[in-house]
Amino acid sequence: MTLKDIYEWDKRNLERIKKFQLASRYKKVGIGMSCAAVITLITLKFTNSEPSWLHPLLKNFLLLGMLVVSISKEEIEDEYIVMLRSQSYRMAFLLGVVYVFVQPYVTYGVELLLKSEEASMDMTYFQVLVFMLLIQLLFFHVLLKKCHT
Amino acid sequence: MKNTLKVERAILDLTQDELAQKIGVSRQTINSIETNRYVPSTVLSLKLSAVFGKPVNAIFSLEEKD
């Protein structure tokens, strides 16, 4: 295998990764997964006999569902839709970074007000990822809606 | 960048949806080009030019601010 072959192989794979998206039918699958996870999480709030592994599993299932929606194509995925999608990812990334900086202080402030001795600045991966995926999906939806008018 | 897409479409009596189908894009894309919210790529401009039978610079033109 020559250096040129390696370069070509690398270029081909990079292109494949860059263009990777799921078919539009997976959007409904993702919405279904997310809704099922949210409903189950809400139901578990009212039950006491919840196994310890179920809660994190459902949270991951919700994240996976949102990710599937996020990477599913539109019915017609043309260059304009691709541009709107990349705008929404950019916004999600920027706001996600701001969220990571600001949210622990907000949590700390609120906890300090409510229960002054146990205030912490904890933040989980779930909070950050859900926030970023929500922002991406909302921005993309809003930008797409704006085109209809 | 301004364009005469709406006029050209009216000459051929095409709806946004019909034009979108002809060049394989969504109706939103045509709407966004017409309202100057989106500047299409060279490939898309050439496809539009082929549909209208006019050169690209007869459909798209630069403005002062460009």
Side-chain angles (χ1 to χ4, degrees):
Chain A
M1 193 180 243
T2 64
L3 200 63
K4 196 182 172 191
D5 290 336
I6 295 170
Y7 174 73
E8 285 299 323
W9 179 83
D10 192 46
K11 197 176 157 188
R12 253 197 329 270
N13 281 315
L14 189 67
E15 280 301 310
R16 208 175 293 163
I17 292 167
K18 268 164 63 181
K19 289 177 181 170
F20 176 76
Q21 271 187 304
L22 295 172
S24 63
R25 64 177 181 275
Y26 284 99
K27 189 180 263 189
K28 284 178 186 164
V29 176
I31 293 170
M33 284 168 72
S34 305
C35 289
V38 168
I39 291 166
T40 318
L41 278 167
I42 292 170
T43 313
L44 287 177
K45 282 267 176 205
F46 301 104
T47 56
N48 295 325
S49 59
E50 169 198 340
S52 59
W53 51 267
L54 192 58
H55 210 254
L57 188 77
L58 283 169
K59 282 182 170 179
N60 286 350
F61 199 65
L62 171 63
L63 286 176
L64 190 67
M66 290 173 79
L67 183 67
V68 168
V69 178
S70 176
I71 60 172
S72 297
K73 283 182 189 174
E74 287 299 299
E75 291 288 332
I76 301 170
E77 184 86 11
D78 59 22
E79 58 179 51
Y80 183 60
I81 306 291
V82 170
M83 188 200 73
L84 294 183
R85 198 180 287 283
S86 66
Q87 274 181 4
S88 68
Y89 279 118
R90 194 170 58 213
M91 283 309 296
F93 175 76
L94 290 173
L95 290 177
V97 172
V98 172
Y99 180 77
V100 169
F101 282 133
V102 174
Q103 184 57 30
Y105 296 101
V106 174
T107 311
Y108 184 78
V110 171
E111 283 189 8
L112 207 64
L113 282 173
L114 297 177
K115 37 184 179 177
S116 55
E117 286 161 20
E118 296 166 32
S120 70
M121 292 176 80
D122 291 346
M123 183 178 232
T124 62
Y125 77 95
F126 178 75
Q127 279 176 278
V128 181
L129 290 180
V130 155
F131 179 82
M132 287 175 88
L133 283 166
L134 262 180
I135 293 291
Q136 190 274 321
L137 294 172
L138 281 174
F139 259 94
F140 184 60
H141 185 73
V142 168
L143 291 171
L144 214 56
K145 278 276 170 205
K146 260 174 71 177
C147 308
H148 287 288
T149 54
Chain B
M1 180 103 93
K2 56 185 178 181
N3 65 74
T4 57
L5 206 66
K6 203 169 182 174
V7 177
E8 299 297 341
R9 196 164 54 76
I11 292 169
L12 292 184
D13 196 23
L14 288 171
T15 62
Q16 284 187 342
D17 209 24
E18 286 166 343
L19 178 60
Q21 278 175 26
K22 270 181 185 281
I23 57 169
V25 295
S26 62
R27 194 191 63 78
Q28 290 100 309
T29 304
I30 301 296
N31 186 35
S32 300
I33 298 170
E34 282 186 3
T35 51
N36 290 322
R37 278 203 302 260
Y38 178 59
V39 178
S41 69
T42 313
V43 175
L44 195 51
S45 306
L46 288 168
K47 282 182 183 176
L48 287 166
S49 142
V51 169
F52 298 131
K54 289 184 177 176
V56 172
N57 56 7
I59 304 167
F60 298 96
S61 53
L62 292 170
E63 286 177 298
E64 279 286 308
K65 60 183 177 185
D66 292 320

